Amino acid sequence: MSATATAAPVNDDRSFFGHPRGLATLFFTEMWERFSYYGMRAILVFFLSASVANGGLGMEKPLASSLVSVYGAAIYMSALAGGWLADRLLGSQRSVFYGGVLIMAGHICMALPFGSTSVFLGLLLIILGSSLLKPNISSVVGSLYEKTDARRDSGFSLFYMGINIGSFSGQLVTGYLGEKVNWHVGFGAAAVGMAIGLIQYKLGARHLGAAAATPSNPLTADERSKAYGRIGMSVGAILVVGVVMFLTGTLTAYGIKNAISIAAMVLPVIYFTVMLRSPKTTKVERDRVKAYIPLFIASALFWLIFEQAANVLNIYADERVEKTVFGWEFPASWFQSVNPMFLIVLAPIVAWIWLRLGTRQPSTPRKFAVAVATVGLSFGVLALVALFGDATTKVSPMWLLLVYGIQTVAELLLSPVGLSMTTKLAPAAFLSQMMGMWFLSTAAGYGIAAQVVPFYSAENELAYFGILALCAIALSVLIWIGAKRIKKLMHGVI
Ligand code: GLN
């Protein structure tokens, strides 16, 4: 990884692989946070659907599967609120700490064997905590560097490595403990992971200095009362929806699932309308927002397929894949670690390819088109396995390794590219909200997935994987055809 700075950075510290020491603090905090997040997520669908006799909540698989998707939608939707709170009230550094505390409390709730109440309270706490931690820890990474510091991109790549090292190890540990020992011991491991991350964050906080320590755009006294009014109104609106659902008898797991799913689809529409109509958005900025719309749709469809790892592909691994090696059956959730493992290996190679290609790189819309087709291809492989096999015999684990391998290549074409594109296409007045928009594309993908995943079953694999693969390929063709127009609307942003 190159670490040469062209302009003299203010933060001249190079003690962490050529990067400021503060990056190590953030790297390990996010590593442990992702250890807990992905670790818990890896066994969630199994825990929700396991029979009560086996320590689970005894839900039907389609509902359990949907709930994993709405949980993801809620996690990524709430990033909008967390980003706002940090920008305007708390500052990112403090938000990360409070977020971590809430996440740890959430995992502790889930570790307690008190049935569904403590589980749902736990999930809610993790959602609230992630909203404060996930978007803001990235802002602190960005704030370690001056705008002109050439180490910024490689700093983010290193940070993405931390995410995947955490995800890789968390899913192995929690997966083994949850599936082979006891679900709650698995959730306990996630709580311990987050606790280590928090201790480490506190001990290393002094290395962060002033990076995003205070709100970047603090509320003025005037705005404060208006903002509190709006927060009150939003909380009120959620309560009203809750009361109406309660009164109409729809405040059930199904009802909540549908409400969150709809919110994840409607929120982006509202946000795009506000940005396009705002008098603060200039003509060029408006074009850029328009260019963002097809890319947002591509991203949502991408995550819709990609983020089925923890439910549909987990169930597939459990029911349909041969898992015995040397007479021992390994936990199905271990397949969850395949994507981060490939990512750790492939990320430096892809970064090297982009560096070599320099200005000859494909444009962002083209990269997105290829990413969407590629993720579609991964489901195409599963459709072919279904076509040539039958639902009663187990398939080789190699197929699932291939599927995750293809998905990882697709992820590398879209995820890091999307992050940097988002910051570049953002209208000045909506900079931090636009970061939230990027996470909202994941939320929308998860929200739609919540409606789609219940259709999966071992009997209809060909149709399930085949239709999703065809949708992805069709969208990819549209984006590819429209790439030139989209690029024009981007006005020079590549
Ligand atoms: N795997 C990455 C992370 O955990 C990206 C996930 C996403 O944006 N959907 O941060």
Side-chain angles (χ1 to χ4, degrees), residues 429-453:
F430 293 95
L431 197 68
S432 51
Q433 275 105 317
M434 196 74 162
M435 205 64 240
M437 279 301 278
W438 174 249
F439 288 122
L440 215 49
S441 70
T442 300
Y446 264 125
I448 302 167
Q451 305 300 325
V452 173
V453 294

Side-chain angles (χ1 to χ4, degrees), residues 30 33-34 37-38 41 76 134 138 159-160 163-164 167 299 302-303 306-307 339-340 343 411 414-416 419 438-439 441-443 446:
E30 180 63 340
E33 185 270 330
R34 293 282 102 180
Y37 171 75
Y38 282 111
R41 197 188 76 144
Y76 283 96
K134 181 72 177 143
S138 314
F159 183 69
Y160 212 74
I163 288 180
N164 285 286
S167 155
S299 171
F302 174 87
W303 296 114
F306 183 92
E307 299 285 18
N339 160 255
L343 198 125
E411 178 185 2
L414 182 130
S415 188
L419 270 173
W438 174 249
F439 288 122
S441 70
T442 300
Y446 264 125

Side-chain angles (χ1 to χ4, degrees), residues 323-408:
K323 293 179 291 296
T324 310
V325 266
F326 305 119
W328 182 66
E329 193 181 52
F330 62 86
S333 50
W334 274 12
F335 278 106
Q336 300 295 310
S337 289
V338 176
N339 160 255
M341 179 187 75
F342 278 136
L343 198 125
I344 294 163
V345 177
L346 294 176
I349 302 175
V350 171
W352 179 80
I353 294 175
W354 294 152
L355 213 65
R356 280 296 298 258
L357 285 177
T359 49
R360 286 173 299 135
Q361 283 185 46
S363 66
T364 300
R366 290 252 147 101
K367 283 183 188 166
F368 267 52
V370 178
V372 172
T374 310
V375 84
L377 180 72
S378 75
F379 269 25
V381 168
L382 290 171
L384 287 179
V385 172
L387 182 65
F388 293 109
D390 68 87
T392 50
T393 42
K394 294 209 166 182
V395 304
S396 158
M398 289 304 158
W399 290 114
L400 213 42
L401 292 187
L402 177 67
V403 168
Y404 281 123
I406 297 174
Q407 289 196 352
T408 311

